[in-house]
Amino acid sequence: MVSLALIGFGNRAGKYASCLDGMAHIAAIVEPSDERRTYAIATCGFAPARCFSRFEDLLSSDIKVDAVIIASPDKTHYAYARECIRRGWPVLLEKPIASDPAECIELADLSARAGVPVTVCFELRYHPYFIKLKELVGTSGLGRLRSVNWTIDVGLNRMMHSFVRGMWGREKDCGPIALSKLCHDVDLLLWMLPGEPAEWHLKGERKFFRAENAPEGAAPRCLDCPLEKRCKYSAVDLYLRRREWIRNFIPLPGESVDEMLLRILRESDFGRCVFFSDNDVNDTQTITMTYPDGLKASIRMQCVRRNGSRKARFVFEEGEIDAGATAITVLRKDAAPEVYDFSGIVGSPLHAGADREMVREFVESVRTGKSTRSGISGALKSHIICTA
Ligand SMILES: NC(=O)c1ccc[n+]([C@@H]2O[C@H](COP(=O)([O-])OP(=O)(O)OC[C@H]3O[C@@H](n4cnc5c(N)ncnc54)[C@H](O)[C@@H]3O)[C@@H](O)[C@H]2O)c1
């Protein structure tokens, strides 16, 4: 059986661990947080002697590792991936490959030269909806593709939790939002459309989540704010009252959920006012890619709606493909719309099973040497574009 090491045992790694289904076993984890290591030992049954706080301790141990899943914070990916490639360990690497394009290129080169495969976690390539959309775009019979308009609404709660108060709010920690969020969207388009864009253009700004937009009298922390009860950005409402986005918070020993949430609201960045959060990543962003035949594909990100969604319109010479939040519709002249309904699976766990399929393919590739559908060489271009 394939022996895996997991680096960074947080949200994503926990999901990948739940997808192994007996195909592989976790020989070791590397996780610097004491709370998370305790959690991994207590709830996932990992042997304490195999839970390391430092990567170097794994390297100097005699634990046999066949492959590694890297799901630690963005800025750590490059150094971990480089060392894994050097040791001949195939890697399932969370996106982004790295935040610096030169580092992305270096890792892709190292992987190719050493013959050590790196699969980038672009799980949406494994999602039934996007697999169907790619197939329809490639075989539509609607003539030349004239334009693509792709919109992504990050969703207000995700925006506040991840990109304002959370881990992807500051460029120094994670690179620009064009990379940390939109690399999925750019990758999907590059994967679906034939050829490669000849030019790309990025434009974005931090329009809304800025101190000067704070309402008069707002306090730095939601717990102390006189406006909290009627504020739609309230962290007290999001975490304490609605109990949303709390899955990744871990209680201290003996702490109740309410006590944990109050501690987080009082002490961590998750309790800060969205207008005073030291965030600096854009909250609106567009990316336009122009193909050699003149085709323009544009991606527009916004964060104004409560629920997130991706939508796209592909306009061909003789019809359109409308990719909605839960269904894809093909519109042909003189024909009834063809509708492909995904409402039963969109929003279901593990990206509608895509995470599981990606992990399965990765483990299989480690066993058999077959390549995966999301190898680093194919994932590189999105990173070059998103960091431009
Ligand atoms: N593919 C996707 O759709 C997707 C979605 C969310 C996040 N991600 C990416 O996955 C990665 C992990 O994100 P997450 O949401 O699981 O975050 P997380 O904070 O839940 O997990 C990260 C874990 O890494 C640990 N860690 C911190 N510093 C470390 C270090 N130096 N070495 C090893 N571990 C360290 C943290 O303690 C934490 O447990 C990020 O790179 C993120 O961008 C990808």
Side-chain angles (χ1 to χ4, degrees):
M1 192 183 290
V2 171
S3 289
L4 293 174
L6 292 186
I7 310 204
F9 193 70
N11 167 38
R12 294 303 292 163
K15 290 198 166 122
Y16 296 144
S18 77
C19 292
L20 292 177
D21 294 339
M23 295 179 292
H25 92 104
I26 299 170
I29 67 164
V30 174
E31 169 53 61
S33 150
D34 295 344
E35 282 164 34
R36 282 175 191 267
R37 276 199 321 284
T38 308
Y39 174 81
I41 293 163
T43 51
C44 310
F46 295 140
R50 292 171 174 267
C51 294
F52 301 101
S53 59
R54 299 176 334 134
F55 186 53
E56 295 72 23
D57 298 336
L58 167 67
L59 300 183
S60 59
S61 76
D62 57 5
I63 291 175
K64 174 185 164 289
V65 171
D66 297 318
V68 176
I69 298 181
I70 301 178
S72 47
D74 300 11
K75 287 280 174 173
T76 64
H77 293 181
Y78 165 74
Y80 286 145
R82 199 179 49 172
E83 184 58 28
C84 291
I85 295 170
R86 210 180 67 72
R87 287 177 176 256
W89 292 334
V91 181
L92 180 63
L93 175 61
E94 255 309 348
K95 45 64 52 182
I97 299 169
S99 317
D100 176 321
E103 292 179 349
C104 297
I105 293 168
E106 186 192 330
L107 288 179
D109 283 349
L110 283 176
S111 159
R113 271 192 277 124
V116 179
V118 174
T119 296
V120 178
C121 291
F122 276 147
E123 70 282 345
L124 297 181
R125 290 191 187 198
Y126 298 77
H127 193 297
Y129 175 104
F130 291 108
I131 292 171
K132 186 69 192 174
L133 182 57
K134 175 176 163 60
E135 180 200 314
L136 290 170
V137 169
T139 59
S140 71
L142 293 172
R144 210 177 121 203
L145 182 59
R146 292 201 174 281
S147 68
V148 183
N149 283 297
W150 181 284
T151 53
I152 163 158
D153 208 309
V154 178
L156 196 51
N157 294 340
R158 181 187 295 276
M159 186 74 200
M160 295 190 296
H161 177 82
S162 299
F163 300 100
V164 177
R165 297 183 173 113
M167 197 151 91
W168 298 276
R170 288 163 218 151
E171 281 205 15
K172 73 172 175 44
D173 300 328
C174 57
I177 198 165
L179 179 68
S180 59
K181 186 65 189 159
L182 297 186
C183 69
H184 281 296
D185 304 85
V186 171
D187 178 69
L188 283 172
L189 275 179
L190 295 176
W191 178 62
M192 282 177 198
L193 302 180
E196 282 205 342
E199 285 174 24
W200 45 91
H201 184 76
L202 283 75
K203 189 162 186 269
E205 59 187 316
R206 184 164 59 93
K207 224 177 189 166
F208 188 64
F209 295 108
R210 316 176 60 96
E212 57 266 37
N213 291 332
E216 182 84 29
R221 280 195 175 271
C222 298
L223 270 180
D224 310 322
C225 185
L227 313 175
E228 185 279 313
K229 288 238 156 43
R230 51 199 162 89
C231 177
K232 69 175 179 176
Y233 312 108
S234 162
V236 176
D237 190 45
L238 179 63
Y239 302 125
L240 194 63
R241 286 199 283 275
R242 283 194 271 141
R243 294 284 209 262
E244 292 177 30
W245 290 87
I246 62 170
R247 223 182 19 218
N248 218 22
F249 299 149
I250 296 180
L252 298 174
E255 204 177 36
S256 70
V257 174
D258 273 356
E259 286 163 346
M260 169 189 80
L261 293 174
L262 284 168
R263 170 175 56 80
I264 281 163
L265 288 168
R266 207 174 294 117
E267 294 172 11
S268 80
D269 285 347
F270 292 108
R272 295 174 77 179
C273 171
V274 285
F275 300 107
F276 304 124
S277 280
D278 295 337
N279 51 306
D280 61 9
V281 302
N282 292 339
D283 50 30
T284 25
Q285 180 75 50
T286 57
I287 301 180
T288 308
M289 302 188 287
T290 309
Y291 281 71
D293 64 357
L295 167 70
K296 277 201 191 309
S298 73
I299 297 174
R300 187 163 57 93
M301 181 204 90
Q302 53 188 16
C303 58
V304 288
R305 298 219 178 88
R306 180 159 164 175
N307 294 319
S309 66
R310 287 188 164 90
K311 293 180 186 161
R313 182 157 283 238
F314 296 76
V315 179
F316 295 81
E317 268 171 345
E318 290 163 34
E320 294 182 19
I321 296 179
D322 183 23
T326 57
I328 305 171
T329 308
V330 182
L331 301 160
R332 296 178 198 280
K333 195 164 168 289
D334 304 328
E338 280 161 40
V339 180
Y340 300 86
D341 182 9
F342 289 85
S343 54
I345 61 156
V346 167
S348 64
L350 302 169
H351 293 103
D355 291 348
R356 173 167 279 117
E357 181 53 19
M358 180 177 69
V359 170
R360 189 202 61 71
E361 198 187 66
F362 172 67
V363 173
E364 168 122 345
S365 80
V366 176
R367 273 198 317 105
T368 62
K370 276 194 224 151
S371 49
T372 63
R373 119 186 39 161
S374 184
I376 191 167
S377 60
L380 187 59
K381 188 79 181 187
S382 58
H383 287 64
I384 304 289
I385 292 175
C386 293
T387 51

